[in-house]
Amino acid sequence: MRVLLGLAGAVVVLGIFSSVLRTLVIPRPSSSGFTQVVQRLVHRPFQLLADRVPGAAGKDRVLAPVAPLSVVITLIGWLVSLLLGYALLEAAASALGPREALVEAGSSLFTLGFASGNRVTLNAIDFCAAATGPIVIGLQIGYLPALYAAYQSRETEVTLLQVRAGSPPWGPEILARYAQVELLDSLTDLFRNWERWSAAVSESHTTYPVLIQFRSPRADRNWLIALLAVMDAAALRLAFNPAMPRAEIRLALRAGFVCLRQLADIRGITYDQDPDPDGPIRLDYADFLNGVQRMREQGYPMERTPEQAWPDFRGWRVNYESLAYRLAHDIDAVPAPWSGPRRTALAIDAPRTPMDRRPKG
């Protein structure tokens, strides 16, 4: 029995150490089964409640605490599991009963020192437990600044996009507003910035997957919907204006769907590695025409007709549409045009282009 207790304790302690290292220390995508289970358990009751709340703003208020709370619960789960693991090791190395073993392990793990057993056989276990508690808590404290720095970096570009695409953002609205204020030549800068943004999000959100669940400060903004809007604007630009410079636009599109694929990998979502450019997409032609009409109303120049541009646009969108729709459904992102269905039906209001108030003549 003692051998079994010792083996069980060692498995628990080593497993939790592995989870801590994968989550907080290793700077690369490395999923931890323990943290994934904790995050699902925390997320489920909030999601069930959000599914019963009418309106996007109400859902956002319910889901906003989920990601920060899961970080705290994960730390508590690690410490409780380590307490149980060390208690099993204490019981295996001595004649301590369950209560005495828990007290001994807790006293050492949290460096309280009130229950020293004065047993030579327990000293090594007590020393390990005494080092473990501060190390885990210290790593978590160091982890939070990195987590929130990545979050703030992500949200800065999302907030800047509000002026360029409204809230929630929409691909045709980006091109419409740039045409309205005669800034189409600066679209290259937008796509270049979002290429870098996609690379940064890909790195940070695969290293710290809990960031995927962190919601924007406002209910009408969402990082995924913003990325989708920029990618749609890039696809529209390529489809309607083949004579324009294309390098930065193609790079932004490529960075965007690579980012979505890497997020899908970390969440275990399957996808087609090489989709057929002529394959079907879920956005229908009528919705496409609505977006084109918004662009035309603001004077966006088009070298092609919608009929000519549609095959090219569809060929680009097939690379990222299904992943964007799936992730938007999973995180219950704010509803927006061209972003797919949500868990519950919600009204989708397209952002209106601001009135042109420049003096005439």
Side-chain angles (χ1 to χ4, degrees):
M1 180 60 71
R2 281 184 159 188
V3 172
L4 293 176
L5 290 176
L7 288 174
V11 168
V12 171
V13 171
L14 293 176
I16 296 302
F17 265 122
S18 174
S19 176
V20 172
L21 290 174
R22 289 170 180 269
T23 305
L24 305 181
V25 180
I26 299 176
R28 61 182 301 176
S30 182
S31 60
S32 164
F34 182 86
T35 56
Q36 289 177 356
V37 169
V38 170
Q39 289 170 14
R40 290 195 193 102
L41 291 176
V42 174
H43 179 263
R44 187 168 300 168
F46 284 90
Q47 187 64 69
L48 291 174
L49 178 58
D51 289 343
R52 289 159 175 77
V53 174
K59 291 179 180 294
D60 185 77
R61 282 194 297 271
V62 172
L63 294 173
V66 172
L69 183 61
S70 68
V71 173
V72 175
I73 298 299
T74 298
L75 173 60
I76 295 173
W78 282 334
L79 293 175
V80 170
S81 298
L82 287 170
L83 174 63
L84 294 175
Y86 279 118
L88 290 172
L89 290 174
E90 301 272 11
S94 68
L96 293 177
R99 182 180 179 280
E100 291 78 9
L102 283 170
V103 170
E104 180 92 16
S107 172
S108 300
L109 181 65
F110 300 106
T111 65
L112 300 174
F114 64 83
S116 175
N118 292 321
R119 297 175 177 86
V120 175
T121 55
L122 297 183
N123 286 346
I125 298 173
D126 287 339
F127 290 155
C128 290
T132 300
I135 287 173
V136 171
I137 295 172
L139 286 174
Q140 185 79 345
I141 293 172
Y143 161 78
L144 290 177
L147 192 72
Y148 280 95
Y151 171 79
Q152 290 174 347
S153 175
R154 183 191 80 183
E155 291 301 317
T156 298
E157 287 294 333
V158 175
T159 302
L160 288 172
L161 191 67
Q162 182 176 1
V163 176
R164 297 169 170 85
S167 292
W170 184 31
E173 189 68 19
I174 296 177
L175 299 183
R177 294 194 184 193
Y178 269 77
Q180 184 190 56
V181 296
E182 301 177 359
L183 285 177
L184 289 173
D185 290 340
S186 66
L187 274 171
T188 299
D189 295 332
L190 174 74
F191 294 130
R192 188 180 295 118
N193 289 340
W194 276 83
E195 178 195 353
R196 294 192 181 95
W197 182 94
S198 298
V201 167
S202 176
E203 187 276 330
S204 61
H205 287 49
T206 53
T207 303
Y208 308 125
V210 71
L211 280 169
I212 297 173
Q213 297 290 346
F214 270 78
R215 305 181 76 82
S216 295
R218 290 177 55 91
D220 57 356
R221 291 203 299 258
N222 180 268
W223 63 272
L224 177 61
I225 301 304
L227 174 59
L228 178 59
V230 172
M231 295 176 73
D232 280 338
L236 288 166
R237 183 77 167 164
L238 290 171
F240 277 100
N241 304 95
M244 296 291 180
R246 302 166 65 87
E248 287 83 0
I249 308 175
R250 292 170 64 97
L251 288 172
L253 263 176
R254 175 73 180 174
F257 69 73
V258 166
C259 173
L260 291 178
R261 289 183 177 189
Q262 292 183 353
L263 296 181
D265 289 338
I266 204 70
R267 292 177 66 89
I269 299 172
T270 59
Y271 55 88
D272 187 353
Q273 295 275 358
D274 187 20
D276 182 1
D278 296 323
I281 61 174
R282 296 172 66 178
L283 179 72
D284 61 37
Y285 187 63
D287 287 334
F288 173 74
L289 291 179
N290 289 336
V292 173
Q293 180 61 28
R294 177 66 63 85
M295 295 156 55
R296 184 178 285 125
E297 288 171 356
Q298 301 304 318
Y300 180 80
M302 301 178 186
E303 300 169 20
R304 290 174 170 174
T305 65
E307 293 81 5
Q308 293 170 329
W310 170 248
D312 275 6
F313 174 77
R314 185 184 62 197
W316 285 111
R317 201 172 206 260
V318 74
N319 289 288
Y320 59 86
E321 184 192 70
S322 62
L323 285 178
Y325 280 19
R326 169 65 187 275
L327 286 169
H329 177 275
D330 286 356
I331 66 175
D332 228 343
V334 58
W338 293 18
S339 66
R342 298 296 182 269
R343 296 173 62 90
T344 55
L346 294 169
I348 300 177
D349 297 323
R352 301 302 304 175
T353 307
M355 183 180 297
D356 189 349
R357 299 186 183 277
R358 291 174 296 176
K360 305 298 182 182

